[in-house]
Amino acid sequence: MAERLVTFEQDGAIGTVTLRRPEKFNALDIPMLRALEAALDEAESAEGVRVVLICGEGKGFCAGGDVEAWGGMSAADFQVQWVRYGHRVFDRLARLRQPIIAVLSGHALGGGLELAVACDFRVAETQVKLGFPETSIGVVPGWSGTQRAVRRLGAQTVRRMAVGGEIFLAAEALALGIVDRIVETGKASGEAKTWAEKIAERGPLAIEAAKLMIAVAEGEESAAATEALASGFIALTGDLKAGVGSFKTKQKPVFSRS
């Protein structure tokens, strides 16, 4: 059996999703996106996981979309198989129930930065470079770099990268709010785990609810988040138990509003 391109591992309350294509600096192609989607499903369903780390094997976090993977696609395939599918996977990441910390021990460029921005927090090592260089080869950020990134990082910061072509080092990225913490080379994983452990000590349901409410405020997912919060509240009530019980016994329910 071939080695998996993206893996999920659990260590107590901390889950780790690892991109494993180091020979390509973890550049994303369709098989990588499929493997990432499967690993996120594992992470969300894993019992006891309260925080998820996402990192890249080798020297790079993620070099973005693999040009060789999409360069020969037709316009229709590029739109549907590449851009829209990538959006779906990145939306899956952004809407994971657990908080996610991107561990940037290597460069995060193009789709790699879009991947990091879909996470809740970013820890970067000092040597890391971040940016949206797509326009240098005649394309635009296609996996929410002009949408989610603008909401989370601000329009002018994204404009400087996507239009102005600026590539930021970690210290500049920290000042601009692109990353949340910077550490020395080799220390990102340890810093992220320490941070994750502190988050994991907090009330898990409160953390999930807070993440959902923030997502609503920033326009990440209004309808789904509202229904999830309301349904979770109703699930704890006596009215739900009465309704389900009456369905089973085929009797009229008696609701107590408790």
Side-chain angles (χ1 to χ4, degrees), residues 18-94:
T18 305
L19 308 179
R20 298 192 181 278
R21 200 186 181 202
E23 71 282 0
K24 284 277 193 175
F25 296 98
N26 302 310
L28 299 169
D29 57 10
I30 296 299
M32 281 280 283
L33 288 170
R34 288 183 182 134
L36 175 58
E37 188 174 31
L40 294 174
D41 288 342
E42 283 187 74
E44 186 156 75
S45 62
E47 185 175 352
V49 170
R50 297 188 178 184
V51 184
V52 175
L53 310 181
I54 183 164
C55 58
E57 183 180 1
K59 295 182 178 180
F61 170 70
C62 179
D66 187 344
V67 178
E68 293 180 1
W70 59 262
M73 287 184 175
S74 67
D77 286 344
F78 182 73
Q79 178 189 25
V80 176
Q81 294 183 25
W82 187 257
V83 176
R84 295 190 68 177
Y85 182 55
H87 255 280
R88 190 178 92 184
V89 177
F90 281 29
D91 287 348
R92 180 75 180 90
L93 174 63

Side-chain angles (χ1 to χ4, degrees), residues 1-13:
M1 180 178 178
E3 185 177 350
R4 290 181 60 185
L5 294 169
V6 182
T7 59
F8 169 74
E9 298 173 301
Q10 180 176 354
D11 182 10

Side-chain angles (χ1 to χ4, degrees), residues 103-106 123-128 170-171 174 181-192:
V103 184
L104 307 181
S105 57
V123 176
E125 295 180 359
T126 55
Q127 81 282 3
V128 166
L174 179 66
R181 298 184 183 185
I182 59 172
V183 293
E184 296 176 3
T185 300
K187 300 288 182 67
S189 181
E191 177 71 14

Side-chain angles (χ1 to χ4, degrees), residues 232-257:
F233 167 73
I234 292 298
L236 297 173
T237 67
D239 281 0
L240 177 72
K241 295 177 182 177
V244 172
S246 68
F247 178 81
K248 292 179 178 179
T249 61
K250 303 188 184 311
Q251 296 178 347
K252 186 176 181 178
V254 178
F255 295 120
S256 61
R257 200 174 180 270

